[in-house]
Amino acid sequence: MLPVRWKLLLLRLLSGCFVTWIVLACLARKQDRPQELNIYPSKSNFSILLDHRKSIVREQCDKLEQQGKLRSSYLVPKNFLTVKRYSLTWCPLYKAGSSNWMKNFVLLSGLTTDNSSDLTSLAMNHLTYSYPDTINNLRNTIRLLIVRDPWDRLLSAYRDKLEVGITPDQQAFQEAYGKDMVARYRKEGVERFGEDWYGTNYGAPVPVKGRTLNEPTFWEFVQAIIREGVTDRHWNPYHLHCNLCHVQFDIILKLESLKEEEAELFKFLHVDHLLSSQWINRHSVPLSSSVMGQYYRTLNMEELLKLQEIYKADFMMFQYRQARVFKLWRLGRSKLL
């Protein structure tokens, strides 16, 4: 027989676990995405899929407006690239297949690359227009958008741009954001996680080649977003960056099934003889549960909920599962702290 005090302790532990499970189950049921149509792309089904995705975006925008939560966003001309010869306008969402589609747009436009490795600068310099011209382009061309699971994209942006400072691009991000994140949140991070955490893998949950203590941790990166509202095109919410409730996109593709969906799009645009799915910077899409779990478990429940709220409209508009990270948090966070 267990002593009474042990029984009471066990009861409290089980009660706490049960309450946490109930909270997360409710979050998963209440806030998870609507069901995506399970249609393998073909000429007829592809059209049905696109119509379905467009209707969901419109429905969510209407809900935001009815609830008084529709945030005003300004149309930024440099966020839209247009290839006039194919009547195609694209709003690049960085870390969502943008590297590959920068190359596609350069090819479709007939621009001479001169062996330039910076396709983004080339496209931005030649395929963006003035505000009046951008409005005209949006009215008279096919509008393209490519999205990705917001949880994946946020972590991918951090790992690619701020986790290490090796390449010139990464060093630029350290200057623009990383140093300030470390300065503002490192002391608090050490108090929260302990010096040993920062001594092991320099504050990363996994070994990362080239990482030092000069770069922010994922926790520090998230604090800058949820506390200060630090923004950048690599992690800005989709619905604000591309003015989704003011610009109706004709074609919405998803990175997770991009190869199949691109094939149908190329046929629709009559460019399948010019373009093919050539993945640039494509790692695991979606990111593995192991990788996702190890990084997102460094956040507490309050921080996850604040982060979720920032990207909630994106989850709902594009039917991505908000509960995914919460489930990983519940299953493994106790092993970390």
Side-chain angles (χ1 to χ4, degrees):
M1 296 289 291
L2 289 172
V4 174
R5 68 174 184 275
W6 285 22
K7 290 181 179 179
L8 290 173
L9 178 60
L10 181 60
L11 180 61
R12 288 170 183 168
L13 287 172
L14 291 173
S15 298
C17 292
F18 180 72
V19 169
T20 300
W21 183 86
I22 289 294
V23 169
L24 289 168
C26 290
L27 283 170
R29 178 169 297 193
K30 181 179 180 181
Q31 299 178 349
D32 217 351
R33 63 175 173 86
Q35 185 65 41
E36 169 79 308
L37 285 180
N38 186 20
I39 297 176
Y40 187 85
S42 66
K43 186 172 183 179
S44 58
N45 289 343
F46 185 58
S47 178
I48 296 172
L49 184 63
L50 295 182
D51 287 342
H52 175 71
R53 289 176 178 171
K54 287 187 289 184
S55 69
I56 294 297
V57 171
R58 287 195 297 270
E59 288 174 10
Q60 294 303 319
C61 286
D62 290 342
K63 287 181 180 180
L64 288 173
E65 187 172 14
Q66 292 168 5
Q67 297 167 359
K69 296 181 179 180
L70 183 58
R71 292 173 57 183
S72 59
S73 58
Y74 299 96
L75 189 145
V76 180
K78 68 178 181 180
N79 289 348
F80 299 88
L81 279 63
T82 299
V83 176
K84 292 189 175 181
R85 67 164 68 177
Y86 289 100
S87 297
L88 183 64
T89 296
W90 167 51
C91 179
L93 290 171
Y94 297 88
K95 306 311 302 175
S98 58
S99 296
N100 189 58
W101 270 88
M102 285 294 176
K103 180 178 180 181
N104 287 344
F105 260 56
V106 168
L107 289 172
L108 291 175
S109 66
L111 290 172
T112 302
T113 62
D114 295 325
N115 297 319
S116 172
S117 60
D118 192 355
L119 296 177
T120 298
S121 294
L122 186 65
M124 296 292 288
N125 289 336
H126 292 86
L127 302 178
T128 57
Y129 294 83
S130 66
Y131 185 89
D133 286 342
T134 299
I135 295 296
N136 186 60
N137 290 338
L138 288 169
R139 288 172 176 167
N140 296 288
T141 62
I142 298 168
R143 299 171 292 275
L144 168 68
L145 188 69
I146 303 170
V147 298
R148 180 183 187 180
D149 186 315
W151 292 126
D152 280 39
R153 177 177 176 249
L154 182 67
L155 179 55
S156 179
Y158 164 73
R159 298 203 71 190
D160 186 48
K161 301 298 181 182
L162 285 161
E163 190 167 40
V164 297
I166 299 173
T167 68
D169 184 48
Q170 291 168 338
Q171 291 167 4
F173 269 80
Q174 293 303 322
E175 290 295 326
Y177 304 107
K179 288 183 177 180
D180 187 62
M181 292 174 181
V182 171
R184 287 178 179 270
Y185 301 111
R186 179 59 51 85
K187 182 179 178 181
E188 183 180 344
V190 172
E191 291 174 353
R192 173 167 168 170
F193 297 98
E195 292 185 358
D196 288 346
W197 172 258
Y198 282 88
T200 304
N201 301 326
Y202 304 103
V206 296
V208 179
K209 185 177 180 180
R211 179 168 171 77
T212 71
L213 285 175
N214 294 326
E215 292 84 42
T217 64
F218 183 63
W219 178 84
E220 292 162 355
F221 166 69
V222 169
Q223 302 315 302
I225 294 175
I226 63 178
R227 297 190 195 183
E228 303 173 62
V230 172
T231 61
D232 182 86
R233 65 187 186 183
H234 290 83
W235 59 80
N236 286 345
Y238 305 149
H239 66 287
L240 298 178
H241 184 77
C242 293
N243 305 79
L244 292 181
C245 290
H246 305 286
V247 176
Q248 293 189 10
F249 284 84
D250 304 294
I251 298 173
I252 300 172
L253 308 184
K254 290 191 172 183
L255 187 66
E256 293 79 9
S257 50
L258 190 57
K259 183 176 181 180
E260 294 82 9
E261 295 178 12
E262 277 183 334
E264 293 303 319
L265 175 61
F266 295 158
K267 294 175 186 176
F268 174 76
L269 296 174
H270 304 292
V271 296
D272 48 318
H273 63 295
L274 296 174
L275 303 180
S276 60
S277 293
Q278 299 179 14
W279 291 87
I280 302 174
N281 296 337
R282 189 190 187 201
H283 304 295
S284 176
V285 179
L287 295 177
S288 70
S289 295
S290 175
V291 170
M292 294 284 289
Q294 290 180 84
Y295 281 85
Y296 279 103
R297 284 171 200 149
T298 64
L299 309 179
N300 62 31
M301 176 63 75
E302 181 182 2
E303 291 160 347
L304 278 177
L305 289 171
K306 288 180 178 178
L307 202 56
Q308 178 200 33
E309 188 63 28
I310 292 172
Y311 297 98
K312 185 174 181 179
D314 292 348
F315 283 112
M316 298 305 294
M317 286 181 182
F318 302 110
Q319 303 180 294
Y320 283 111
R321 295 178 59 240
Q322 299 175 67
R324 177 184 172 204
V325 161
F326 288 96
K327 290 177 180 177
L328 292 173
W329 185 93
R330 175 174 61 86
L331 289 171
R333 189 174 184 273
S334 61
K335 299 178 183 179
L336 177 66
L337 298 178

